Amino acid sequence: MRRRKKASERGECDEDGMDHHRSRRPFSGSHHRQSVYTRDRNDRKGRCDNSLLRPRNHHQWQSGSTPEQNPLTSQTLSTRKELYERDFPLYKQPVEVGCFSLDAQRRFFNDGRQMRYYVEPDKNPNFDLRDGYEDRYVKRDESVKEKLDHILRWILANRLKLKSKASSHALDFDFVTWRGHLTKLLTTPYETRDGWLLAVTKFKDTLYISEVETEAARRDRENRPEWNHKMMYWGYKFEQYMCADNAHGLPDSSGVVNTNEAFCTVVQTRLTDHKLLFSGEVDCRDKDPSVPPPACYVELKTSAEICTPKQRSNFHRFKLLKWWAQSFLPGVPRVVAGFRDRDGTVVSVDTFPIAKVSQLIKNEPNCWKPTVCMNFTCDFLSFLKRIATEDNPSVVYLVSWEPLKDVTYSVHRDSCFSFLPLWYVEAMGSCQDSHHQP
Ligand code: 0WD
Ligand code: CA
């Protein structure tokens, strides 16, 4: 594959016409030729090529028109952080428009029955996170890919209260996705290890973004060592020590930890001119009923005890970035962290107000910047609007990124990447059902 030039090596003018204070251009027009082979392969119904999940084989092409005929559809996006150091973009205060719950069997309910309540712990609590791993743990089946299904169910159940675009049945959102997918975008300019694959479909003028597991991620998941399984449990066990099922209750650490259960908030907001609807799992809320969501929500985390300046620096540079990005997006104001020793005992608990995170990291040399995260995400969403032009529920723009590379994409019709289910497409009143593969 031809080497893609960095935006700064090119002499093109700003193409997005939206961002007027960008000093350098992250977009670049690269002209990959599409081979007859790739076009055939991807137009075949129901085919799914695993090699696409491997970054080294991931080429960029477009079925239909050639890049030469339509250069706007053949672009890449740079993730170099220097390109995104400009003023913080407009990010509207997120507003909760609803919530839903997933029960112990992972069934969807259009209500808040799985909401839990935060219980203030001792400052030095001694929670044993190992307790129950062998005998009181029901683990969600991670091989089941739910894609956006729960969010789509919530949309159908709440269509009347969601504002529609004038004179159509379309949703008044540019993007629908999980908060976790947006978190990955926010942290991309600083990510050095894990790439991602996002499937994007335009349907009735809304872009739906759903993650596809990369081959590397699948390998990691299937070969996860036992200590890693245990540490994943520790995070859920901490939640059990910190949460009660009702506002006046107490935590019950003798119960079963079941990771099928979830309470999810659905929020709407706007990042510059991108109207977003996304959902994220929330651990618990403040008992005080006078604080409205999402300000009442609390994100719970565990982290290794910090004993040295190096550990503190790493915590600021890597962990706080992920924590900030995840909670900033839905407007969750605080993270409560349990610091554990090597044996899995929580020895201290600390609160990190999201609004104070930038102060905490400001003395850290070469540290991450919130503005870079938000500007990259904003430009990425503009990039998606630019490339994902065909409004068709069975067409997927597969957008791919690996560390040290640019974002690239490929287009797939009626492939295994299609993720909008027929029940959703039909309920939304599509005229394009005949194209759709269930
Ligand atoms: O299809 C997919 N690839 C994914 C689906 C990836 C990530 C999440 N999900 C779904 C699940 O239905 C889950 O209930 O999203 C829900 C959570 O969405 P989110 O809030 O957008 O995800 P994220 O912010 O990454 O994770 C929030 C919490 C995690 O807490 P920590 O403290 O570890 O960040 O959701 C849990 C986990 O407790 N979680 C998941 N639960 C079920 N399936 C998953 C997952 N794949 N990933 C994280
Ligand atoms: Ca959590």
Side-chain angles (χ1 to χ4, degrees):
M1 189 160 68
R2 237 170 77 178
R3 189 180 77 92
R4 283 181 298 281
K5 285 189 177 175
K6 296 272 178 354
S8 54
E9 294 173 62
R10 307 175 151 270
E12 295 152 355
C13 57
D14 199 337
E15 292 161 329
D16 74 345
M18 264 178 296
D19 180 18
H20 302 292
H21 41 234
R22 186 161 52 217
S23 54
R24 280 174 281 176
R25 291 167 307 282
F27 290 119
S28 61
S30 70
H31 297 260
H32 295 263
R33 282 192 185 273
Q34 177 197 21
S35 73
V36 173
Y37 170 64
T38 55
R39 188 188 300 170
D40 283 346
R41 192 175 55 178
N42 289 285
D43 279 354
R44 208 173 304 155
K45 271 189 189 294
R47 275 300 297 273
C48 186
D49 187 342
N50 277 341
S51 69
L52 289 168
L53 308 181
R54 285 197 296 272
R56 65 178 179 282
N57 289 333
H58 189 92
H59 298 271
Q60 179 190 339
W61 67 82
Q62 231 254 320
S63 42
S65 61
T66 63
E68 285 74 11
Q69 285 165 328
N70 190 356
L72 282 182
T73 58
S74 61
Q75 289 163 345
T76 60
L77 180 71
S78 170
T79 63
R80 287 170 53 221
K81 45 188 178 299
E82 310 79 51
L83 299 173
Y84 302 97
E85 290 194 10
R86 51 183 197 257
D87 290 348
F88 200 84
L90 173 84
Y91 189 64
K92 276 191 69 174
Q93 183 70 49
V95 172
E96 180 173 87
V97 288
C99 64
F100 59 86
S101 294
L102 304 173
D103 74 0
Q105 286 86 45
R106 203 75 181 164
R107 290 175 303 200
F108 172 94
F109 293 90
N110 181 32
D111 57 42
R113 66 182 68 192
Q114 291 287 351
M115 166 87 83
R116 291 179 299 177
Y117 295 81
Y118 178 72
V119 178
E120 192 79 44
D122 279 0
K123 193 86 184 138
N124 302 101
N126 271 306
F127 296 143
D128 178 5
L129 301 179
R130 294 168 303 181
D131 178 47
Y133 177 72
E134 281 84 16
D135 56 326
R136 299 192 322 280
Y137 183 22
V138 178
K139 201 167 168 299
R140 191 186 75 92
D141 180 352
E142 289 177 90
S143 65
V144 176
K145 300 300 171 203
E146 300 171 325
K147 297 173 265 194
L148 298 187
D149 289 6
H150 297 308
I151 300 179
L152 303 180
R153 275 186 199 104
W154 181 87
I155 291 174
L156 290 185
N158 294 275
R159 267 183 91 181
L160 291 177
K161 76 174 183 192
L162 287 176
K163 200 162 82 69
S164 313
K165 281 184 183 164
S167 77
S168 87
H169 296 294
L171 297 174
D172 193 20
F173 293 104
D174 299 315
F175 296 93
V176 168
T177 192
W178 282 107
R179 174 272 308 273
H181 302 357
L182 294 173
T183 306
K184 284 196 178 170
L185 292 172
L186 259 71
T187 58
T188 294
Y190 299 103
E191 179 62 49
T192 55
R193 200 181 48 189
D194 300 322
W196 44 251
L197 266 180
L198 295 172
V200 179
T201 289
K202 186 176 191 176
F203 176 51
K204 289 188 174 288
D205 267 344
T206 294
L207 292 164
Y208 294 82
I209 307 175
S210 179
E211 188 174 31
V212 176
E213 189 175 49
T214 61
E215 211 169 272
R218 184 183 54 78
R219 253 196 328 267
D220 285 354
R221 176 170 57 76
E222 289 174 352
N223 300 313
R224 211 175 274 149
E226 179 61 11
W227 62 265
N228 203 323
H229 280 284
K230 281 190 180 151
M231 287 184 67
M232 287 175 70
Y233 172 77
W234 291 357
Y236 293 109
K237 185 66 188 175
F238 179 61
E239 294 174 9
Q240 195 189 50
Y241 280 113
M242 300 287 288
C243 299
D245 288 342
N246 57 72
H248 311 290
L250 285 174
D252 175 14
S253 64
S254 71
V256 170
V257 169
N258 184 328
T259 59
N260 288 299
E261 296 177 28
F263 167 83
C264 295
T265 178
V266 183
V267 303
Q268 70 169 54
T269 184
R270 189 153 63 80
L271 174 57
T272 66
D273 60 342
H274 306 304
K275 290 185 199 165
L276 314 178
L277 180 74
F278 58 85
S279 175
E281 192 175 323
V282 170
D283 293 325
C284 57
R285 65 157 292 156
D286 195 297
K287 285 188 175 102
D288 181 350
S290 70
V291 187
C296 62
Y297 292 143
V298 180
E299 172 63 35
L300 301 174
K301 296 286 184 200
T302 57
S303 196
E305 217 182 340
I306 296 169
C307 306
T308 67
K310 178 77 184 159
Q311 287 169 341
R312 177 164 309 276
S313 169
N314 283 338
F315 173 78
H316 287 158
R317 291 165 55 89
F318 305 110
K319 209 142 236 193
L320 274 186
L321 164 60
K322 302 247 157 114
W323 292 5
W324 171 83
Q326 184 187 40
S327 288
F328 178 77
L329 278 163
V332 171
R334 59 185 164 134
V335 175
V336 173
F339 291 95
R340 47 170 166 72
D341 65 16
R342 289 171 46 141
D343 302 330
T345 300
V346 171
V347 290
S348 66
V349 174
D350 239 330
T351 297
F352 293 85
I354 290 301
K356 298 223 170 109
V357 166
S358 53
Q359 272 158 260
L360 273 179
I361 61 166
K362 77 169 186 288
N363 292 326
E364 207 63 66
N366 291 320
C367 206
W368 57 277
K369 296 189 174 92
T371 198
V372 167
C373 303
M374 296 305 283
N375 282 316
F376 169 72
T377 301
C378 182
D379 285 10
F380 176 81
L381 297 176
S382 300
F383 173 75
L384 289 189
K385 282 181 177 172
R386 175 186 307 236
I387 64 168
T389 50
E390 184 174 342
D391 199 309
N392 180 338
S394 68
V395 169
V396 164
Y397 295 80
L398 190 63
V399 187
S400 160
W401 178 74
E402 284 297 317
L404 303 174
K405 298 201 173 137
D406 290 346
V407 177
T408 61
Y409 73 99
S410 52
V411 189
H412 306 261
R413 322 177 161 270
D414 302 312
S415 72
C416 67
F417 296 116
S418 295
F419 62 89
L420 287 183
L422 195 56
W423 52 260
Y424 182 74
V425 173
E426 282 180 342
M428 293 295 279
S430 167
C431 354
Q432 296 166 312
D433 288 355
S434 58
H435 294 303
H436 188 71
Q437 291 287 296

